[in-house]
């Protein structure tokens, strides 16, 4: 099989760096031909100098000079938000990996599909916001959408194309740093405490989402769209060890699970080499050393994110986009120490309550709901 030529949007982030590791690990299967980032010109240049992609994109145009100064070769350079769509579609590639935090990857993902590129999606936010549209566009062009989120990659592996025989999808959740913290002290939780994830090392936004369990809520909706399974059949179980990455129960009652160490290189590699598997240098599981694998029901009352997400997913329309956008604004206010930890879900709940969902929204209606929710969340936070 030939080498996959991959463009990485969000190359300087946690997923982007893991993707670069995979490319180093399986060089005859994966070649990075384009990289894009938001504003870290130095890091992007350093990555480019090492990986030598033919194309580089920086969204922050004010830093283009800095990028050029730090490059020691001359790749094609794209800039601005427009540049993201261009690098996703104009560069000769087989696959585009969307690893941008938040929703900025949506238009580039659609541009990539339109250009016939296979899509690997880490950015769950774009599937929460516009999963129906992304999946419909991909299906219309026969473009595979490969999940990189570890749970969805696990489900994709377990399903192996048999989505119609599914009884339940069981998403595992580590429970985050506050799995055992009494709800009574949630209002004293600091940013530093929220950023200490017990099992995964990730960017700040998703780390806070893992602490509130909004991450799992977003993932429920993500699973619904990726696999075409109704929300009622998507469940969550707490699994503190993060070894079982998710499970599928089939109509005959058999359950398949995917296990590995908690390292994003596993799902990234599978997305790149699918449908094949190839050897790598990642550490195998040693079952003699795994003392135990535990499972428990989430504390739904103490972590309202799960039920908010279930409601958003069930009502559908523009409500998932509203939940996602309000959460992004709330998380950044928390990270900037402008409000307490519980106010994240309180803000999201208030914004959702004020929204009138539009059924079967087109992209414009979704983008409008997203903008409305951001402004509404800012108002709620400022009040
Ligand atoms: P991160 O904060 O470490 O990196 C974010 C990347 O996105 C950076 O490269 C940044 O330059 C880029 N970016 C941010 N805003 C942008 C914009 N407006 N335009 C273009 N680029 C922009 O985040 P991360 O942890 O790597 O997460 C990326 C995505 O992957 C998120 O959607 C997250 O939910 C998802 N994800 C991450 C992990 C993980 O282990 N980190 C696991 C599963 C899913
Ligand atoms: Mg995940």
């Amino acid at each position: 099989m030939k080498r996959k030529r991959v463009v990485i949007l969000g190359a300087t982030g946690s997923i982007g760096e893991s993707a670069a590791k995979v490319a180093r690990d399986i060089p005859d299967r994966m070649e990075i031909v384009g990289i894009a980032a938001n504003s870290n010109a130095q890091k992007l240049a350093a990555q480019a100098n090492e990986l030598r992609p033919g194309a580089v994109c920086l969204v922050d145009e004010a830093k283009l000079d800095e990028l050029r100064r730090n490059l020691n070769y001359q790749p094609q350079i794209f800039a601005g938000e427009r540049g993201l769509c261009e690098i996703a579609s104009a560069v000769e590639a087989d696959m585009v990996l969307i690893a941008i935090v938040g929703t900025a990857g949506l238009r580039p993902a659609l541009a990539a599909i339109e250009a016939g590129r296979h899509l690997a999606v880490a950015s769950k936010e774009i599937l929460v916001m516009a999963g129906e549209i992304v999946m419909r566009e991909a299906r219309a062009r026969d473009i595979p959408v490969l999940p990189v989120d570890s749970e969805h990659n696990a489900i994709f592996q377990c399903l192996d194309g048999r989505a119609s025989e599914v009884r339940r999808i069981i998403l595992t959740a580590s429970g985050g740093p506050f799995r055992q913290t009494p709800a009574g002290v949630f209002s004293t939780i600091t940013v530093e405490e929220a950023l200490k994830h017990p099992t995964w090392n990730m960017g700040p936004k998703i780390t806070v989402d893992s602490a509130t369990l909004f991450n799992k809520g977003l993932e429920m909706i993500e699973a619904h769209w990726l696999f075409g399974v109704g929300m009622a059949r998507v469940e969550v179980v707490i699994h503190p060890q993060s070894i079982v990455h998710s499970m599928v129960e089939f109509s005959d009652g058999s359950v398949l699970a995917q296990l590995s160490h908690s390292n994003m290189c596993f799902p990234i590699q599978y997305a790149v080499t699918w449908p094949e598997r190839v050897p790598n240098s990642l550490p195998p599981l040693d079952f003699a050393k795994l003392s135990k694998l535990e499972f428990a029901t989430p504390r739904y009352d103490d972590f309202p994110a799960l039920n908010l997400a279930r409601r958003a997913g069930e009502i559908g329309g523009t409500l998932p986009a509203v939940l996602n956008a309000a959460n992004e604004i709330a998380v950044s206010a928390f990270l900037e120490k402008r409000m307490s930890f519980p106010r994240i879900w309180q803000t999201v709940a208030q914004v959702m309550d004020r929204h009138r969902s539009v059924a079967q929204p087109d992209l414009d209606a979704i983008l409008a709901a997203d903008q409305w929710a951001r402004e509404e969340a800012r108002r709620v936070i400022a009040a």
Side-chain angles (χ1 to χ4, degrees):
M1 209 192 187
K2 80 175 181 40
R3 241 179 3 172
K4 282 247 169 75
R5 297 162 301 172
V6 182
V7 171
I8 304 175
L9 309 187
T12 55
S14 160
I15 291 285
E17 289 195 315
S18 295
K21 272 190 207 152
V22 173
R24 271 179 227 121
D25 201 19
I26 52 166
D28 42 357
R29 287 309 190 112
M30 177 175 179
E31 176 187 5
I32 295 174
V33 294
I35 58 175
N38 190 30
S39 65
N40 193 339
Q42 294 218 1
K43 189 164 177 181
L44 188 65
Q47 280 184 327
N49 289 337
E50 189 223 318
L51 300 164
R52 298 257 153 184
V56 175
C57 172
L58 188 63
V59 173
D60 184 350
E61 306 194 39
K63 302 248 180 91
L64 274 177
D65 278 346
E66 193 182 339
L67 174 67
R68 286 207 180 86
R69 266 201 316 278
N70 284 283
L71 283 169
N72 60 20
Y73 73 114
Q74 291 191 323
Q76 187 177 7
I77 293 185
F78 298 91
E81 276 175 37
R82 202 169 21 93
L84 283 179
C85 289
E86 288 165 357
I87 197 170
S89 56
V91 172
E92 274 288 305
D94 304 299
M95 171 178 274
V96 177
L97 167 61
I98 315 285
I100 292 176
V101 61
T103 51
L106 178 56
R107 284 187 192 282
L110 294 172
I113 292 173
E114 201 167 326
R117 309 287 181 260
H118 291 192
L119 213 58
V121 182
S123 309
K124 63 196 83 196
E125 294 93 342
I126 71 171
L127 292 172
V128 170
M129 180 186 189
E132 186 169 22
I133 294 176
V134 171
M135 296 308 288
R136 192 207 302 137
E137 295 298 309
R139 254 193 312 273
R141 289 176 177 75
D142 220 4
I143 299 285
V145 177
L146 298 144
V148 166
D149 208 349
S150 56
E151 296 76 4
H152 305 75
N153 191 273
I155 295 161
F156 182 76
Q157 295 193 41
C158 296
L159 281 176
D160 206 15
R162 287 170 317 211
S164 62
E165 296 157 17
V166 172
R167 193 190 283 166
R168 283 189 301 162
I169 279 178
I170 303 156
L171 291 171
T172 53
S174 72
F178 311 122
R179 178 171 59 88
Q180 295 174 304
T181 306
V185 302
F186 277 0
S187 59
T188 66
I189 286 171
T190 64
V191 169
E192 291 71 23
E193 287 166 339
L195 288 179
K196 269 194 214 118
H197 196 276
T199 51
W200 291 97
N201 193 354
M202 314 177 284
K205 195 261 176 181
I206 182 174
T207 305
V208 174
D209 283 346
S210 301
T212 58
L213 296 197
F214 265 113
N215 182 50
K216 211 50 54 180
L218 298 174
E219 290 182 357
M220 289 163 63
I221 303 172
E222 181 186 11
H224 161 61
W225 287 124
L226 275 171
F227 307 116
V229 169
M231 285 298 290
R233 292 199 280 162
V234 180
E235 293 181 12
V236 173
V237 66
I238 300 293
H239 168 48
Q241 290 80 17
S242 299
I243 294 289
V244 176
H245 296 299
S246 278
M247 300 175 264
V248 177
E249 183 184 84
F250 290 92
S251 53
D252 60 358
S254 274
V255 176
L256 296 191
Q258 184 263 340
L259 288 73
S260 72
H261 286 295
S262 48
N263 179 338
M264 290 307 293
C265 291
F266 286 100
I268 293 168
Q269 171 172 326
Y270 190 68
V272 170
T273 64
W274 173 83
E276 293 178 12
R277 294 182 185 274
V278 300
N280 57 31
S281 67
L282 294 171
L285 274 182
D286 180 346
F287 282 90
K289 283 195 184 135
L290 286 180
S291 56
K292 58 184 171 185
L293 298 178
E294 296 166 297
F295 300 93
T297 305
R299 290 159 56 194
Y300 288 102
D301 292 341
D302 295 338
F303 293 93
L306 293 174
N307 285 331
L308 288 170
R310 184 171 294 287
R311 187 172 108 214
E314 277 168 358
I315 293 174
T318 45
L319 199 55
V322 165
L323 168 132
N324 176 62
N327 179 56
E328 273 189 43
I329 298 299
V331 169
S332 56
F334 172 72
L335 284 171
E336 289 162 14
K337 307 195 176 178
R338 290 192 281 119
M339 64 181 211
S340 71
F341 186 68
R343 280 200 65 198
I344 298 174
W345 58 78
Q346 289 161 8
T347 302
V348 174
Q350 279 185 43
V351 174
M352 282 173 67
D353 284 344
R354 292 179 194 184
H355 182 65
R356 285 215 207 113
S357 182
V358 177
Q360 270 142 23
D362 58 13
L363 191 57
D364 287 342
I366 288 173
L367 293 170
D370 173 274
Q371 273 313 309
W372 173 86
R374 283 168 203 274
E375 281 154 30
E376 200 62 27
R378 287 191 192 101
R379 264 198 291 280
V380 168
I381 291 164

